[in-house]
Amino acid sequence: MKSKRSNYEFLYKTGIIIFLVICLLISLLYSYRINKIHTIELQETKKIDDMKLQYNKTKNSCYNKNPYKNLSDDRESNNDQQSITIDNNQKNQLIEDNNNNQKIIEDCIIEIPDIDLAKIVYSGVDREKKLDDYDLITAASDMKFSNGGNYIICGHASRLYGHSLNRLKEVHKGTLIQIWANNEVKNYKINKVYYENMNDTNKYCKQTGKSEITIISCAKYISQESYIIIKAIPE
């Protein structure tokens, strides 16, 4: 009887130890994930700040309309003015090399001040890789804000409050959306917020000529198959 009781106590203590070890491992994994998210957010915030700083510099420059326009450097020497010009062939080669080297393109910045959202939207052929880190991507690899028309943004909704599109459900008709692109900031106002079954979202991923912003994200707080659709028009 005593031996039986000792076995029960041993199993009980062993079970508690195993339970505590599992809890510790879960806690460590969760802590690692939070730290990774925090590091990624800090890196993106710095990148956004750098992009905005570059925007402000370009905005104040006399060359802000076209970064590849003829460059001139006014130098006074014996009352003569010299100019430095980029050859057209060189300009085209720079653009071609740039496009070939950028599989992932930082297309623009989207900001929704009411939910403290500021994120880069990525385009390009490898943009899907960004989804794993809860980054935002365009609906198609060749979609760019500069192309005009309906600009479609996709991204996962994180379960961590305030991370990525986690607070997207808090927006409503009239909420301001800002897009930083092409050396300017454009304001949009949300005019529609609704939910659709994930199998019915393809119709929202088609490029149109209408000037608007579409944001698509999962809405598992509604159901496993629900997506939230945001539509915004120029202010």
Side-chain angles (χ1 to χ4, degrees), residues 24-34:
L24 178 61
L25 289 174
I26 292 173
S27 176
L28 290 173
L29 287 172
Y30 181 76
S31 178
Y32 170 77
R33 179 61 178 166
I34 294 297

Side-chain angles (χ1 to χ4, degrees), residues 199-225:
N199 298 315
D200 298 326
T201 56
N202 285 339
K203 57 187 176 183
Y204 300 107
C205 295
K206 296 177 181 178
Q207 182 78 68
T208 67
K210 185 178 180 181
S211 180
E212 64 179 0
I213 301 295
T214 300
I215 304 175
I216 304 174
S217 183
C218 49
K220 293 183 179 179
Y221 47 89
I222 300 295
S223 73
Q224 288 295 318
E225 297 183 343

Side-chain angles (χ1 to χ4, degrees), residues 107-108 121 137-140 142-154 177 179 188 191 194 201-216 229-234:
D107 192 44
C108 69
V121 181
I137 65 170
T138 55
D142 59 349
M143 184 177 290
K144 296 180 181 179
F145 184 77
S146 59
N147 293 343
N150 182 20
Y151 189 65
I152 307 164
I153 301 170
C154 307
I177 294 179
I179 299 291
Y188 293 78
N191 64 329
Y194 45 96
T201 56
N202 285 339
K203 57 187 176 183
Y204 300 107
C205 295
K206 296 177 181 178
Q207 182 78 68
T208 67
K210 185 178 180 181
S211 180
E212 64 179 0
I213 301 295
T214 300
I215 304 175
I216 304 174
I229 313 293
I230 306 292
K231 290 279 188 180
I233 56 176

